[in-house]
Amino acid sequence: MIPLFSASAANAGVNLESALMRVVQSNWYVLGSEVSAFEREFAAYIGTAECVSLANGTDALELALRAVGVSAGDRVVCVANAGFYGSTAIHAVGATPLYVDVEERSLNMAPAALAEALQHKPKAIIVTHLYGQLADIEALAKLARKAGVAVIEDCAQAHGATLKGRRAGSFGDVGCFSFYPTKNLGALGDGGAVVCHEPEIAQAVRTLRQYGWSTKYQVLTPHGRNSRLDEIQAAVLRTKLPRLDASNDQRRNIAVRYNAAFADLPLALPPSTGDDYVGHLYVVRVDSREAFREHLRSHEVSTDVHYPVPDHLQPAYPAAQGAGSLEFTERACRTVVSLPCFPGLSESEVVQVIHAVRSFFPH
Ligand SMILES: *Cc1c(COP(=O)(O)O)cnc(C)c1O
């Protein structure tokens, strides 16, 4: 069975042992020199002045919301097709998500829908670069800034995605990353970070990640917690960061092969295989999804659905609200399917996936 992701393939050739042993022998495991060095190196890679590492990507979103001033009762605009991560963070601060529809082609936030939602005076927007495809971030950020609304980018699937030489995470007020093992830059466990240009925002997140302390044992800021990246994970990420662009190229090259092989099929394909897409997930849309998945399973090809339930229809939050129609969101949730696309997927496996997909359709 071809998997949807393989940690052993993605980490092949990475000298993880020396990163691990360096930390073991340092006898320093939390907030030390590996974390500081990773924060410097990741900020330099993204093109921001600041990076604050955290325990995971959901904390990054929540602490970013707090750092830009979102609190209980505020509204935050986001999309409803991105796995509920943004919604989790919004609910954690006691704010309310205001869902807006996505563009049919990119499945990312539609600027026209945002323009309408801004009339409801949200405090911030979360723009998710879904599947590794940059959203129309320039247009979205311009609209939000004109309305005085903070822009948070969810880059958990878009490490390294680029527009006109600028990377995902450097367009908004704060960029949020996850280093969960399957992400484009993955640790050996949980990890996350925020990046930003403003030192005040970085300082607010630094305070929140460590109990709200101003100095040791002095709690100046409410809603602090423990959310730190381990030295071991930082050392692993430092070892993998120099290979990120090359592994994104591998993902993109697989997407190029698939897009060419599927061009004549009745499937909606990822809209770009350029630098604005880093192939986190290769997602097609098909009407008869269950039959399609069953066919691929019988050809030993794994698939998954990212994501089957839109945020506004999750049973835990029956009062969820959209600003306008969520037609494209709901249609996408019914039709999206992810195919194997990860660094280390072999040429023969790519051929097998292509054959499995093509053979589903009558000639
Ligand atoms: C993975 C992911 C997150 C959450 O990251 P965790 O580290 O798992 O908390 C947030 N947003 C998106 C789009 C993700 O894919």
Side-chain angles (χ1 to χ4, degrees), residues 308-334:
V309 182
D311 293 15
H312 63 290
L313 299 179
Q314 290 287 6
Y317 296 95
Q321 289 201 338
S325 149
L326 297 170
E327 177 194 346
F328 294 122
T329 300
E330 292 182 4
R331 197 183 303 165
C333 289
R334 285 194 297 269

PDB file of all heavy atoms in Angstrom, residues 308-334:
ATOM      1  N   PRO A 308     -13.383  16.608   5.856  1.00  0.00           N
ATOM      2  CA  PRO A 308     -14.743  16.205   5.469  1.00  0.00           C
ATOM      3  C   PRO A 308     -15.856  17.074   6.056  1.00  0.00           C
ATOM      4  O   PRO A 308     -16.913  17.195   5.443  1.00  0.00           O
ATOM      5  CB  PRO A 308     -14.852  14.776   6.018  1.00  0.00           C
ATOM      6  CG  PRO A 308     -13.842  14.700   7.129  1.00  0.00           C
ATOM      7  CD  PRO A 308     -12.738  15.645   6.760  1.00  0.00           C
ATOM      8  N   VAL A 309     -15.633  17.666   7.242  1.00  0.00           N
ATOM      9  CA  VAL A 309     -16.711  18.422   7.905  1.00  0.00           C
ATOM     10  C   VAL A 309     -16.316  19.892   7.995  1.00  0.00           C
ATOM     11  O   VAL A 309     -15.308  20.228   8.612  1.00  0.00           O
ATOM     12  CB  VAL A 309     -16.970  17.883   9.331  1.00  0.00           C
ATOM     13  CG1 VAL A 309     -18.126  18.641   9.985  1.00  0.00           C
ATOM     14  CG2 VAL A 309     -17.240  16.389   9.301  1.00  0.00           C
ATOM     15  N   PRO A 310     -17.084  20.792   7.355  1.00  0.00           N
ATOM     16  CA  PRO A 310     -16.744  22.211   7.489  1.00  0.00           C
ATOM     17  C   PRO A 310     -16.927  22.680   8.933  1.00  0.00           C
ATOM     18  O   PRO A 310     -17.786  22.168   9.655  1.00  0.00           O
ATOM     19  CB  PRO A 310     -17.723  22.911   6.545  1.00  0.00           C
ATOM     20  CG  PRO A 310     -18.773  21.924   6.214  1.00  0.00           C
ATOM     21  CD  PRO A 310     -18.265  20.556   6.525  1.00  0.00           C
ATOM     22  N   ASP A 311     -16.106  23.646   9.328  1.00  0.00           N
ATOM     23  CA  ASP A 311     -16.085  24.097  10.734  1.00  0.00           C
ATOM     24  C   ASP A 311     -17.476  24.506  11.229  1.00  0.00           C
ATOM     25  O   ASP A 311     -17.833  24.233  12.375  1.00  0.00           O
ATOM     26  CB  ASP A 311     -15.140  25.302  10.903  1.00  0.00           C
ATOM     27  CG  ASP A 311     -13.676  24.938  10.667  1.00  0.00           C
ATOM     28  OD1 ASP A 311     -13.410  23.858  10.104  1.00  0.00           O
ATOM     29  OD2 ASP A 311     -12.804  25.744  11.043  1.00  0.00           O
ATOM     30  N   HIS A 312     -18.255  25.165  10.351  1.00  0.00           N
ATOM     31  CA  HIS A 312     -19.552  25.688  10.814  1.00  0.00           C
ATOM     32  C   HIS A 312     -20.578  24.585  11.010  1.00  0.00           C
ATOM     33  O   HIS A 312     -21.662  24.841  11.521  1.00  0.00           O
ATOM     34  CB  HIS A 312     -20.076  26.766   9.860  1.00  0.00           C
ATOM     35  CG  HIS A 312     -20.365  26.256   8.471  1.00  0.00           C
ATOM     36  ND1 HIS A 312     -19.370  25.880   7.593  1.00  0.00           N
ATOM     37  CD2 HIS A 312     -21.529  26.037   7.817  1.00  0.00           C
ATOM     38  CE1 HIS A 312     -19.915  25.475   6.458  1.00  0.00           C
ATOM     39  NE2 HIS A 312     -21.219  25.551   6.572  1.00  0.00           N
ATOM     40  N   LEU A 313     -20.264  23.355  10.586  1.00  0.00           N
ATOM     41  CA  LEU A 313     -21.194  22.240  10.778  1.00  0.00           C
ATOM     42  C   LEU A 313     -20.685  21.234  11.808  1.00  0.00           C
ATOM     43  O   LEU A 313     -21.241  20.149  11.950  1.00  0.00           O
ATOM     44  CB  LEU A 313     -21.470  21.541   9.431  1.00  0.00           C
ATOM     45  CG  LEU A 313     -22.104  22.439   8.367  1.00  0.00           C
ATOM     46  CD1 LEU A 313     -22.327  21.667   7.064  1.00  0.00           C
ATOM     47  CD2 LEU A 313     -23.428  23.041   8.863  1.00  0.00           C
ATOM     48  N   GLN A 314     -19.635  21.588  12.547  1.00  0.00           N
ATOM     49  CA  GLN A 314     -19.147  20.687  13.605  1.00  0.00           C
ATOM     50  C   GLN A 314     -20.143  20.692  14.761  1.00  0.00           C
ATOM     51  O   GLN A 314     -20.562  21.754  15.215  1.00  0.00           O
ATOM     52  CB  GLN A 314     -17.758  21.128  14.094  1.00  0.00           C
ATOM     53  CG  GLN A 314     -16.644  20.907  13.076  1.00  0.00           C
ATOM     54  CD  GLN A 314     -16.260  19.442  12.891  1.00  0.00           C
ATOM     55  OE1 GLN A 314     -16.899  18.537  13.441  1.00  0.00           O
ATOM     56  NE2 GLN A 314     -15.227  19.194  12.099  1.00  0.00           N
ATOM     57  N   PRO A 315     -20.491  19.491  15.246  1.00  0.00           N
ATOM     58  CA  PRO A 315     -21.556  19.410  16.255  1.00  0.00           C
ATOM     59  C   PRO A 315     -21.246  20.105  17.585  1.00  0.00           C
ATOM     60  O   PRO A 315     -22.166  20.491  18.297  1.00  0.00           O
ATOM     61  CB  PRO A 315     -21.737  17.895  16.465  1.00  0.00           C
ATOM     62  CG  PRO A 315     -20.618  17.232  15.742  1.00  0.00           C
ATOM     63  CD  PRO A 315     -20.058  18.184  14.757  1.00  0.00           C
ATOM     64  N   ALA A 316     -19.967  20.301  17.903  1.00  0.00           N
ATOM     65  CA  ALA A 316     -19.646  20.918  19.198  1.00  0.00           C
ATOM     66  C   ALA A 316     -20.089  22.382  19.276  1.00  0.00           C
ATOM     67  O   ALA A 316     -20.245  22.918  20.370  1.00  0.00           O
ATOM     68  CB  ALA A 316     -18.143  20.823  19.463  1.00  0.00           C
ATOM     69  N   TYR A 317     -20.260  23.034  18.111  1.00  0.00           N
ATOM     70  CA  TYR A 317     -20.585  24.467  18.099  1.00  0.00           C
ATOM     71  C   TYR A 317     -21.795  24.724  17.203  1.00  0.00           C
ATOM     72  O   TYR A 317     -21.670  25.268  16.103  1.00  0.00           O
ATOM     73  CB  TYR A 317     -19.368  25.279  17.632  1.00  0.00           C
ATOM     74  CG  TYR A 317     -18.205  25.153  18.585  1.00  0.00           C
ATOM     75  CD1 TYR A 317     -17.201  24.204  18.374  1.00  0.00           C
ATOM     76  CD2 TYR A 317     -18.111  25.957  19.725  1.00  0.00           C
ATOM     77  CE1 TYR A 317     -16.144  24.065  19.263  1.00  0.00           C
ATOM     78  CE2 TYR A 317     -17.059  25.825  20.615  1.00  0.00           C
ATOM     79  CZ  TYR A 317     -16.076  24.885  20.377  1.00  0.00           C
ATOM     80  OH  TYR A 317     -15.045  24.751  21.264  1.00  0.00           O
ATOM     81  N   PRO A 318     -22.985  24.340  17.677  1.00  0.00           N
ATOM     82  CA  PRO A 318     -24.181  24.436  16.823  1.00  0.00           C
ATOM     83  C   PRO A 318     -24.554  25.864  16.447  1.00  0.00           C
ATOM     84  O   PRO A 318     -25.306  26.064  15.490  1.00  0.00           O
ATOM     85  CB  PRO A 318     -25.281  23.767  17.656  1.00  0.00           C
ATOM     86  CG  PRO A 318     -24.763  23.708  19.050  1.00  0.00           C
ATOM     87  CD  PRO A 318     -23.274  23.721  18.982  1.00  0.00           C
ATOM     88  N   ALA A 319     -24.049  26.870  17.168  1.00  0.00           N
ATOM     89  CA  ALA A 319     -24.432  28.258  16.859  1.00  0.00           C
ATOM     90  C   ALA A 319     -23.476  28.920  15.865  1.00  0.00           C
ATOM     91  O   ALA A 319     -23.558  30.130  15.643  1.00  0.00           O
ATOM     92  CB  ALA A 319     -24.489  29.073  18.151  1.00  0.00           C
ATOM     93  N   ALA A 320     -22.587  28.153  15.241  1.00  0.00           N
ATOM     94  CA  ALA A 320     -21.579  28.729  14.340  1.00  0.00           C
ATOM     95  C   ALA A 320     -22.231  29.521  13.210  1.00  0.00           C
ATOM     96  O   ALA A 320     -23.293  29.147  12.710  1.00  0.00           O
ATOM     97  CB  ALA A 320     -20.722  27.607  13.762  1.00  0.00           C
ATOM     98  N   GLN A 321     -21.558  30.607  12.818  1.00  0.00           N
ATOM     99  CA  GLN A 321     -22.156  31.504  11.825  1.00  0.00           C
ATOM    100  C   GLN A 321     -21.228  31.822  10.669  1.00  0.00           C
ATOM    101  O   GLN A 321     -20.027  31.981  10.856  1.00  0.00           O
ATOM    102  CB  GLN A 321     -22.517  32.821  12.501  1.00  0.00           C
ATOM    103  CG  GLN A 321     -23.695  32.652  13.437  1.00  0.00           C
ATOM    104  CD  GLN A 321     -24.393  33.950  13.729  1.00  0.00           C
ATOM    105  OE1 GLN A 321     -23.801  35.019  13.589  1.00  0.00           O
ATOM    106  NE2 GLN A 321     -25.644  33.845  14.133  1.00  0.00           N
ATOM    107  N   GLY A 322     -21.824  31.917   9.484  1.00  0.00           N
ATOM    108  CA  GLY A 322     -21.102  32.376   8.309  1.00  0.00           C
ATOM    109  C   GLY A 322     -21.508  33.803   7.989  1.00  0.00           C
ATOM    110  O   GLY A 322     -22.637  34.195   8.261  1.00  0.00           O
ATOM    111  N   ALA A 323     -20.561  34.557   7.428  1.00  0.00           N
ATOM    112  CA  ALA A 323     -20.905  35.868   6.900  1.00  0.00           C
ATOM    113  C   ALA A 323     -21.186  35.640   5.427  1.00  0.00           C
ATOM    114  O   ALA A 323     -20.283  35.644   4.620  1.00  0.00           O
ATOM    115  CB  ALA A 323     -19.753  36.849   7.084  1.00  0.00           C
ATOM    116  N   GLY A 324     -22.424  35.381   5.078  1.00  0.00           N
ATOM    117  CA  GLY A 324     -22.773  35.089   3.691  1.00  0.00           C
ATOM    118  C   GLY A 324     -22.730  33.598   3.418  1.00  0.00           C
ATOM    119  O   GLY A 324     -22.531  32.783   4.320  1.00  0.00           O
ATOM    120  N   SER A 325     -22.886  33.264   2.144  1.00  0.00           N
ATOM    121  CA  SER A 325     -22.969  31.863   1.721  1.00  0.00           C
ATOM    122  C   SER A 325     -21.629  31.150   1.908  1.00  0.00           C
ATOM    123  O   SER A 325     -20.567  31.753   1.775  1.00  0.00           O
ATOM    124  CB  SER A 325     -23.379  31.837   0.246  1.00  0.00           C
ATOM    125  OG  SER A 325     -22.828  30.710  -0.395  1.00  0.00           O
ATOM    126  N   LEU A 326     -21.685  29.877   2.235  1.00  0.00           N
ATOM    127  CA  LEU A 326     -20.473  29.050   2.336  1.00  0.00           C
ATOM    128  C   LEU A 326     -20.546  27.918   1.309  1.00  0.00           C
ATOM    129  O   LEU A 326     -20.102  26.793   1.559  1.00  0.00           O
ATOM    130  CB  LEU A 326     -20.321  28.522   3.765  1.00  0.00           C
ATOM    131  CG  LEU A 326     -20.123  29.619   4.827  1.00  0.00           C
ATOM    132  CD1 LEU A 326     -20.230  29.061   6.238  1.00  0.00           C
ATOM    133  CD2 LEU A 326     -18.768  30.310   4.646  1.00  0.00           C
ATOM    134  N   GLU A 327     -21.101  28.256   0.150  1.00  0.00           N
ATOM    135  CA  GLU A 327     -21.393  27.277  -0.893  1.00  0.00           C
ATOM    136  C   GLU A 327     -20.135  26.528  -1.359  1.00  0.00           C
ATOM    137  O   GLU A 327     -20.120  25.300  -1.438  1.00  0.00           O
ATOM    138  CB  GLU A 327     -22.041  28.019  -2.068  1.00  0.00           C
ATOM    139  CG  GLU A 327     -22.327  27.135  -3.263  1.00  0.00           C
ATOM    140  CD  GLU A 327     -22.653  27.954  -4.521  1.00  0.00           C
ATOM    141  OE1 GLU A 327     -22.910  29.176  -4.397  1.00  0.00           O
ATOM    142  OE2 GLU A 327     -22.632  27.355  -5.610  1.00  0.00           O
ATOM    143  N   PHE A 328     -19.063  27.278  -1.670  1.00  0.00           N
ATOM    144  CA  PHE A 328     -17.858  26.617  -2.195  1.00  0.00           C
ATOM    145  C   PHE A 328     -17.161  25.807  -1.107  1.00  0.00           C
ATOM    146  O   PHE A 328     -16.561  24.765  -1.386  1.00  0.00           O
ATOM    147  CB  PHE A 328     -16.919  27.645  -2.822  1.00  0.00           C
ATOM    148  CG  PHE A 328     -17.491  28.291  -4.051  1.00  0.00           C
ATOM    149  CD1 PHE A 328     -17.652  29.665  -4.123  1.00  0.00           C
ATOM    150  CD2 PHE A 328     -17.911  27.510  -5.130  1.00  0.00           C
ATOM    151  CE1 PHE A 328     -18.200  30.255  -5.260  1.00  0.00           C
ATOM    152  CE2 PHE A 328     -18.463  28.099  -6.269  1.00  0.00           C
ATOM    153  CZ  PHE A 328     -18.610  29.474  -6.328  1.00  0.00           C
ATOM    154  N   THR A 329     -17.268  26.288   0.125  1.00  0.00           N
ATOM    155  CA  THR A 329     -16.706  25.552   1.261  1.00  0.00           C
ATOM    156  C   THR A 329     -17.393  24.193   1.379  1.00  0.00           C
ATOM    157  O   THR A 329     -16.734  23.148   1.488  1.00  0.00           O
ATOM    158  CB  THR A 329     -16.931  26.359   2.557  1.00  0.00           C
ATOM    159  OG1 THR A 329     -16.275  27.617   2.422  1.00  0.00           O
ATOM    160  CG2 THR A 329     -16.411  25.618   3.771  1.00  0.00           C
ATOM    161  N   GLU A 330     -18.719  24.208   1.380  1.00  0.00           N
ATOM    162  CA  GLU A 330     -19.468  22.963   1.589  1.00  0.00           C
ATOM    163  C   GLU A 330     -19.257  21.999   0.422  1.00  0.00           C
ATOM    164  O   GLU A 330     -19.107  20.798   0.621  1.00  0.00           O
ATOM    165  CB  GLU A 330     -20.955  23.277   1.800  1.00  0.00           C
ATOM    166  CG  GLU A 330     -21.179  24.010   3.117  1.00  0.00           C
ATOM    167  CD  GLU A 330     -22.641  24.311   3.424  1.00  0.00           C
ATOM    168  OE1 GLU A 330     -23.526  23.880   2.652  1.00  0.00           O
ATOM    169  OE2 GLU A 330     -22.881  24.994   4.440  1.00  0.00           O
ATOM    170  N   ARG A 331     -19.230  22.558  -0.800  1.00  0.00           N
ATOM    171  CA  ARG A 331     -19.011  21.686  -1.959  1.00  0.00           C
ATOM    172  C   ARG A 331     -17.616  21.044  -1.884  1.00  0.00           C
ATOM    173  O   ARG A 331     -17.445  19.864  -2.176  1.00  0.00           O
ATOM    174  CB  ARG A 331     -19.165  22.479  -3.258  1.00  0.00           C
ATOM    175  CG  ARG A 331     -19.348  21.569  -4.453  1.00  0.00           C
ATOM    176  CD  ARG A 331     -19.418  22.328  -5.758  1.00  0.00           C
ATOM    177  NE  ARG A 331     -20.478  23.320  -5.787  1.00  0.00           N
ATOM    178  CZ  ARG A 331     -20.549  24.289  -6.695  1.00  0.00           C
ATOM    179  NH1 ARG A 331     -19.629  24.414  -7.624  1.00  0.00           N
ATOM    180  NH2 ARG A 331     -21.558  25.153  -6.667  1.00  0.00           N
ATOM    181  N   ALA A 332     -16.620  21.839  -1.478  1.00  0.00           N
ATOM    182  CA  ALA A 332     -15.255  21.308  -1.377  1.00  0.00           C
ATOM    183  C   ALA A 332     -15.205  20.174  -0.358  1.00  0.00           C
ATOM    184  O   ALA A 332     -14.590  19.125  -0.608  1.00  0.00           O
ATOM    185  CB  ALA A 332     -14.276  22.419  -0.992  1.00  0.00           C
ATOM    186  N   CYS A 333     -15.852  20.355   0.779  1.00  0.00           N
ATOM    187  CA  CYS A 333     -15.806  19.308   1.808  1.00  0.00           C
ATOM    188  C   CYS A 333     -16.416  17.999   1.311  1.00  0.00           C
ATOM    189  O   CYS A 333     -16.029  16.930   1.773  1.00  0.00           O
ATOM    190  CB  CYS A 333     -16.497  19.778   3.088  1.00  0.00           C
ATOM    191  SG  CYS A 333     -15.540  21.051   3.951  1.00  0.00           S
ATOM    192  N   ARG A 334     -17.341  18.079   0.357  1.00  0.00           N
ATOM    193  CA  ARG A 334     -17.954  16.855  -0.195  1.00  0.00           C
ATOM    194  C   ARG A 334     -17.093  16.184  -1.258  1.00  0.00           C
ATOM    195  O   ARG A 334     -17.291  15.014  -1.565  1.00  0.00           O
ATOM    196  CB  ARG A 334     -19.323  17.191  -0.820  1.00  0.00           C
ATOM    197  CG  ARG A 334     -20.440  17.445   0.184  1.00  0.00           C
ATOM    198  CD  ARG A 334     -21.805  17.424  -0.505  1.00  0.00           C
ATOM    199  NE  ARG A 334     -21.935  18.486  -1.506  1.00  0.00           N
ATOM    200  CZ  ARG A 334     -22.416  19.709  -1.251  1.00  0.00           C
ATOM    201  NH1 ARG A 334     -22.816  20.020  -0.031  1.00  0.00           N
ATOM    202  NH2 ARG A 334     -22.513  20.613  -2.201  1.00  0.00           N
TER     203      ARG A 334
END
